[in-house]
Amino acid sequence: MTTPAEHLISVDGSDVRFACAEGDTLLRAALRAGVGLAYECNSGGCGSCRYDLVEGEMHDRRPDAPGLSPRDRRKGRKLACQSQPRSDCTIKVGQMVGQARHRPFRQTAQLRSKTLLTHDMQEFVFAAQSHAGFRPGQYAMITLPDGQVERAYSMSNLGNCYGEWKFVVKRMPGGRATAALFDDTEVGSEVTLDGPFGHAYLREDGNRRIVCAGGGSGLGAMISIVLGVAARPDSRDWTVHLFCGGRTRKDLHIPESIAFAGRQLGALNVHTAISDEHDDGVRAEVEGAEPFRGFLHEAVLDRLAGSLTDFTYYAAGPPAMTDALARALVLDAGVAADHLHYDRFC
Ligand SMILES: Cc1cc2nc3c(=O)[nH]c(=O)nc-3n(C[C@H](O)[C@H](O)[C@H](O)COP(=O)(O)OP(=O)(O)OC[C@H]3O[C@@H](n4cnc5c(N)ncnc54)[C@H](O)[C@@H]3O)c2cc1C
Ligand code: FES
């Protein structure tokens, strides 16, 4: 077996050097080597991984990526998550984040089960050969069986030594990956998992009063965080507010594991929010209190009024939701920016 060629990457103005295997991206090679380049989405959407190429040849795997503005393009900027070195290169980055905390690795995994959760949400369970090493709230890149489409999905379970990776996926109307996952990927199909990635993981030594806000596709990451707190030896010292949002009641789903987790916690408060004023109240998937009428960030502001700055926040979901929450908490309510953790789903 031959090993792929490697290119040496040097970071301008520093003594940081790392190897990038042919075909790997600049960002992932850096993280695999423990080098903390800035990033969030790993998908070309957020622009956090912008850099300048000083020297060398770079292939751009998504030339139209929305993470670069017209101004960035005029200046020749690139995205580390979409760049594949074709030679030794020197790059210039605005900011290094020290050492990468979590080193991702690629492995194949088999689809073990797919379970319908709502009309447009399914749980996918994959089994890999080696351990599933990740922190609650992190995500992996899944390459679908055709080898062409790769997307980011957050794990909804906890890291484990038996190689089980669970994801909650919401179908995107007309979406390429979700159509392939929901309609064409059968139990037994093989995918490639690359991970873990992401900064919105549970801070275990931090504030023990936390809020988990998951809108639609963000549910999986928030389940993982609640389970992560419940598995801690000091779980009874923790207070958790879980907010789940959707357009109508039929978009809401609270898995049974949340109720079990609740028994291990000091307090678990589950809140739901629906944004469509024409919701007809049909099929309340979620038992309990009437959902808040409005957007998820409005539900957080309403239900925690007077105590917003007491909490550390984890959020996942569509960018419109996480942006609105960030604005409401940090700009309007005075929550410290480092008390809010999310990776943009863009
Ligand atoms: C950090 C993160 C975590 C996520 N976690 C979840 C989750 O747990 N559950 C969930 O349902 N969804 C999650 N998503 C969203 C998910 O990655 C997909 O965007 C979503 O499933 C729609 O994909 P699609 O191909 O069906 O839709 P499409 O409309 O075909 O594609 C939509 C998105 O795919 C990305 N994309 C498009 N082309 C490319 C390309 N060439 N290379 C890379 N990316 C491309 C873009 O971000 C785009 O917004 C997450 C996204 C991110 C960034
Ligand atoms: S654009 Fe590269 S991390 Fe988001």
Side-chain angles (χ1 to χ4, degrees):
M1 206 166 75
T2 54
T3 45
E6 287 194 338
H7 306 296
L8 182 69
I9 312 300
S10 310
V11 180
D12 194 45
S14 77
D15 55 6
V16 175
R17 311 253 182 287
F18 59 93
C20 180
E22 178 76 26
D24 206 358
T25 67
L26 184 59
L27 173 65
R28 294 188 212 182
L31 299 176
R32 294 188 214 291
V35 175
L37 293 190
Y39 76 103
E40 265 182 60
C41 71
N42 218 330
S43 307
C46 72
S48 315
C49 64
R50 274 171 305 193
Y51 73 97
D52 294 306
L53 179 63
V54 177
E55 200 172 23
E57 192 190 337
M58 201 64 84
H59 169 70
D60 188 348
R61 62 182 212 158
R62 196 179 171 197
D64 59 345
L68 287 177
S69 66
R71 186 162 177 267
D72 290 326
R73 289 180 197 283
R74 275 198 305 279
K75 293 191 152 198
R77 295 226 165 92
K78 298 185 180 300
L79 296 172
C81 70
Q82 302 304 318
S83 293
Q84 294 173 315
R86 291 273 163 85
S87 70
D88 292 351
C89 293
T90 302
I91 63 168
K92 192 170 174 181
V93 293
Q95 174 202 11
M96 298 274 291
V97 230
Q99 279 206 320
R101 281 167 182 260
H102 309 107
R103 297 189 184 203
F105 72 102
R106 287 170 76 88
Q107 56 181 327
T108 55
Q110 252 193 9
L111 181 61
R112 280 289 156 84
S113 65
K114 46 201 278 196
T115 308
L116 201 63
L117 303 179
T118 69
H119 66 107
D120 68 351
M121 219 156 32
Q122 290 198 17
E123 180 192 66
F124 293 83
V125 180
F126 293 92
Q129 291 284 318
S130 77
H131 72 289
F134 58 86
R135 306 273 290 273
Q138 289 194 296
Y139 69 92
M141 303 301 296
I142 304 185
T143 306
L144 297 183
D146 68 358
Q148 303 298 312
V149 183
E150 187 189 52
R151 295 285 186 270
Y153 293 105
S154 313
M155 283 67 82
S156 61
N157 61 333
L158 296 181
N160 57 80
C161 57
Y162 42 90
E164 185 181 72
W165 300 70
K166 291 188 180 184
F167 303 89
V168 173
V169 180
K170 187 174 169 67
R171 187 194 276 271
M172 165 82 77
R176 205 171 151 201
T178 48
L181 268 171
F182 279 60
D183 304 333
D184 306 328
T185 309
E186 305 294 342
V187 169
S189 303
E190 221 164 67
V191 300
T192 305
L193 292 179
D194 196 357
F197 297 102
H199 309 297
Y201 55 85
L202 175 65
R203 271 52 176 183
E204 307 209 352
D205 53 358
N207 185 0
R208 293 190 174 89
R209 286 164 66 78
I210 68 165
V211 173
C212 299
S217 53
L219 177 66
M222 297 301 104
I223 296 173
S224 178
I225 289 187
V226 177
L227 298 182
V229 177
R232 291 183 50 76
D234 65 351
S235 60
R236 298 216 176 273
D237 299 338
W238 289 66
T239 295
V240 178
H241 286 271
L242 171 66
F243 286 82
C244 295
R247 239 171 29 80
T248 69
R249 256 173 258 239
K250 71 186 172 89
D251 298 323
L252 300 176
H253 173 78
I254 309 288
E256 268 177 36
S257 57
I258 293 294
F260 288 116
R263 291 184 204 142
Q264 309 302 319
L265 299 171
L268 171 68
N269 305 282
V270 178
H271 314 269
T272 54
I274 50 175
S275 57
D276 189 339
E277 59 188 36
H278 302 300
D279 172 70
D280 57 7
V282 173
R283 186 170 170 261
E285 174 74 39
V286 178
E287 306 276 324
E290 187 59 13
F292 175 86
R293 295 289 181 140
F295 292 110
L296 197 66
H297 69 281
E298 295 170 331
V300 174
L301 297 185
D302 180 82
R303 299 284 145 99
L304 302 180
S307 60
L308 286 163
T309 52
D310 295 352
F311 294 93
T312 294
Y313 294 80
Y314 298 89
M321 176 233 134
T322 46
D323 288 352
L325 185 68
R327 269 196 308 275
L329 292 176
V330 178
L331 296 183
D332 302 339
V335 171
D338 62 356
H339 285 188
L340 170 61
H341 306 287
Y342 65 101
D343 294 308
R344 273 172 286 176
F345 279 24
C346 46

